[in-house]
Amino acid sequence: ECGFCESNCPSRDVTLTPRQRVTVYREISRLKAKDARTVQEEERLRQMTEAFDYMGNATCAADGMCQEKCPVKINTGELIKSLREREMSESANSLAMFAANNFKAVNTLVPPLLNTVDFFHGIFGSGFLESTSRLLNKATGNFIPIWNKYMPKGAKKLDTSDCVSSAEDVDVRNSVVYIPSCVTRMMGPARGDDVEEPVHEKMISILKKANYNVIIPENINSLCCGMMFDSRGNKPAANSKAYDLEDVMKEVSHNGRIPVICDTSPCTQTIKNKLRDKMLGFSVYEPVEFVNHFLLNKLEFTKVKEDVTIHIPCSSKKMGIESNFKKLAGMCAENVHESGIPCCGMAGDRGMRYEELTKSSLQHLEVPSGCNDGYSTSRTCEMSLSRQSDVNFRGLLYLIDEATQAKATKQ
């Protein structure tokens, strides 16, 4: 318990650090294992168990960034996710499985819901919605997220008119299977942002400029990597969605012969981690990784921004693409500033339900004065970064699309 991990932990200044979580959980386990406990031990166990529910479990981002600093690679986040799975009620798992089995309906309903909330945002303003959601969050035991003015509008419907759904009629040597994440299919830019297009439009635009045939599975709106279920402890629903997606990817990519790209870093990492066929993982690319490997010789880059701030998600750091992220941002902007944050603490929707987690993790966020553009590759992370900095953070694909054009062919 050396404490090297603590600097990476988003909850270190609000509740417990990884080594404290391990120590407290060890003591709880020791007390539970005793055949006969004294009155004092019973009281100690009760107090520690109650405290750990919030301080150890609820406010853990479970991002695994503690493992990156740990000399022996202990992942406290995996411990917490296993506890969530163990404590998950049968009714909660059944509800999660119902959502997983009817994910197309979820994908269809969320954008209009977000647009409805945004409509009321326009009428009543930010203060009313934030205070109302804060009351609902408290009344529901942190189940309903706390709204803020950088919450997204609903994403425009995925346009596949310039794409195909199988590789049968295209040259596979110049093709890519594109998996738009459910987050980018459902969440668009925030009110007040000067962009309107969703991330998937930018991804398709970049691929088309590079003369790629874009293959999007026919049943894409039913697909999800399972991360939204996995982070809450709904393991059966998470595995169900992950395995369904893997089966579709294998079929459409011809068992990995055609590269696969997902537009969201945390989802890409989840896809790779959940694969039963680990060989398929060599064909799955995060967006920065794909652009760097395959598109640099197909696109002309121009520096279109003076100053930008980038936040590299913890999933990107764990996949080892930090340097490529900085490199691509530097090809699109004169000055690139890093956020200085190991993890934003958003952890899916956890940072919206426990806002103290993101506020604490982002207290040292570095966005230089005069810098009005922030970029990342995780839509939910971008929401928390925007709220903290009062600067619109959006996907790096927006910057890459703005800064690139098709490379002229040699005559």
Side-chain angles (χ1 to χ4, degrees):
E1 294 152 10
C2 59
F4 286 166
C5 59
E6 294 188 340
S7 61
N8 266 8
C9 181
S11 67
R12 67 185 183 274
D13 293 328
V14 67
T15 51
L16 299 179
T17 67
R19 67 169 175 168
Q20 290 170 336
R21 281 186 172 88
V22 171
T23 302
V24 173
Y25 183 68
R26 184 187 297 144
E27 177 63 8
I28 289 173
S29 299
R30 184 189 71 81
L31 290 171
K32 283 184 176 179
K34 292 193 71 172
D35 292 329
R37 291 185 289 271
T38 66
V39 174
Q40 290 82 3
E41 287 174 331
E42 285 285 0
E43 178 62 16
R44 177 178 171 83
L45 176 60
R46 183 191 67 79
Q47 290 180 352
M48 293 186 76
T49 302
E50 288 181 1
F52 191 80
D53 185 54
Y54 170 74
M55 298 181 73
N57 188 335
T59 53
C60 177
D63 56 21
M65 283 301 288
C66 45
Q67 184 182 38
E68 298 302 293
K69 283 287 187 75
C70 179
V72 291
K73 297 301 178 184
I74 295 172
N75 189 336
T76 308
E78 286 300 318
L79 165 67
I80 299 302
K81 285 199 281 188
S82 71
L83 294 179
R84 290 171 186 167
E85 179 186 3
R86 193 185 311 167
E87 296 167 3
M88 191 61 59
S89 67
E90 187 175 335
S91 59
N93 272 329
S94 297
L95 182 61
M97 187 59 76
F98 178 80
N101 291 337
N102 297 275
F103 201 77
K104 185 174 182 179
V106 175
N107 192 101
T108 302
L109 290 172
V110 170
L113 175 62
L114 291 174
N115 285 331
T116 300
V117 175
D118 182 67
F119 172 76
F120 286 109
H121 176 200
I123 294 176
F124 297 111
S126 302
F128 173 78
L129 285 183
E130 185 169 348
S131 58
T132 301
S133 65
R134 197 177 297 280
L135 290 173
L136 291 172
N137 175 264
K138 185 176 181 179
T140 59
N142 301 96
F143 182 78
I144 293 178
I146 297 175
W147 184 92
N148 71 77
K149 68 178 182 177
Y150 288 102
M151 292 284 272
K153 296 180 286 187
K156 294 178 183 176
K157 186 177 178 181
L158 177 64
D159 182 5
T160 60
S161 59
D162 205 19
C163 308
V164 296
S165 58
S166 81
E168 301 303 322
D169 300 320
V170 295
D171 183 354
V172 297
R173 294 170 298 179
N174 207 40
S175 298
V176 60
V177 175
Y178 173 34
I179 306 293
S181 70
C182 63
V183 175
T184 59
R185 296 198 308 265
M186 293 189 282
M187 296 181 177
R191 172 180 286 266
D193 199 344
D194 57 6
V195 298
E196 291 291 331
E197 303 86 353
V199 171
H200 47 74
E201 281 191 23
K202 297 301 181 181
M203 185 77 260
I204 293 172
S205 171
I206 293 167
L207 293 170
K208 284 298 178 179
K209 280 189 273 191
N211 199 32
Y212 266 82
N213 302 307
V214 182
I215 305 167
I216 297 180
E218 192 170 5
N219 61 336
I220 186 64
N221 288 330
S222 299
L223 300 177
C224 167
C225 70
M227 183 177 65
M228 67 166 63
F229 302 108
D230 192 58
S231 63
R232 285 174 174 260
N234 302 115
K235 190 71 73 174
N239 288 343
S240 173
K241 295 313 295 176
Y243 299 157
D244 285 349
L245 178 57
E246 179 181 358
D247 291 340
V248 170
M249 289 195 308
K250 287 186 75 170
E251 179 183 353
V252 179
S253 71
H254 291 187
N255 288 319
R257 183 183 172 195
I258 304 170
V260 179
I261 182 173
C262 177
D263 54 28
T264 302
S265 297
C267 298
T268 309
Q269 185 190 30
T270 301
I271 290 171
K272 290 187 174 189
N273 289 345
K274 288 282 188 179
L275 288 175
R276 294 162 295 180
D277 180 0
K278 295 302 180 184
M279 293 299 292
L280 184 60
F282 291 104
S283 298
V284 179
Y285 292 88
E286 188 268 356
V288 168
E289 192 179 23
F290 187 86
V291 172
N292 186 70
H293 283 332
F294 296 106
L295 304 189
L296 294 187
N297 65 338
K298 299 176 184 293
L299 298 172
E300 295 281 1
F301 283 78
T302 304
K303 296 190 177 187
V304 293
K305 300 285 186 181
E306 185 66 28
D307 289 279
V308 301
T309 298
I310 60 171
H311 173 73
I312 303 171
C314 43
S315 52
S316 298
K317 292 169 184 168
K318 295 185 79 172
M319 288 187 286
I321 58 175
E322 214 168 340
S323 59
N324 288 336
F325 199 113
K326 299 173 192 174
K327 171 185 169 183
L328 285 180
M331 294 173 70
C332 304
E334 293 291 345
N335 303 299
V336 177
H337 312 277
E338 294 184 55
S339 67
I341 302 297
C343 171
C344 71
M346 196 60 159
D349 69 343
R350 191 162 296 272
M352 292 184 275
R353 296 185 293 118
Y354 298 90
E355 66 171 1
E356 62 271 29
L357 182 58
T358 52
K359 285 185 176 181
S360 175
S361 65
L362 294 174
Q363 61 184 305
H364 302 299
L365 176 62
E366 298 173 6
V367 177
S369 176
C371 178
N372 299 314
D373 294 284
Y375 296 95
S376 187
T377 45
S378 169
R379 187 66 192 93
T380 51
C381 296
E382 291 151 21
M383 291 156 53
S384 64
L385 292 160
S386 297
R387 183 195 64 187
Q388 187 73 14
S389 65
D390 210 25
V391 169
N392 274 302
F393 274 75
R394 57 185 79 91
L396 186 67
L397 293 172
Y398 286 93
L399 180 61
I400 295 173
D401 185 54
E402 183 181 351
T404 57
Q405 59 183 6
K407 184 166 284 190
T409 55
K410 295 180 180 180
Q411 299 295 327

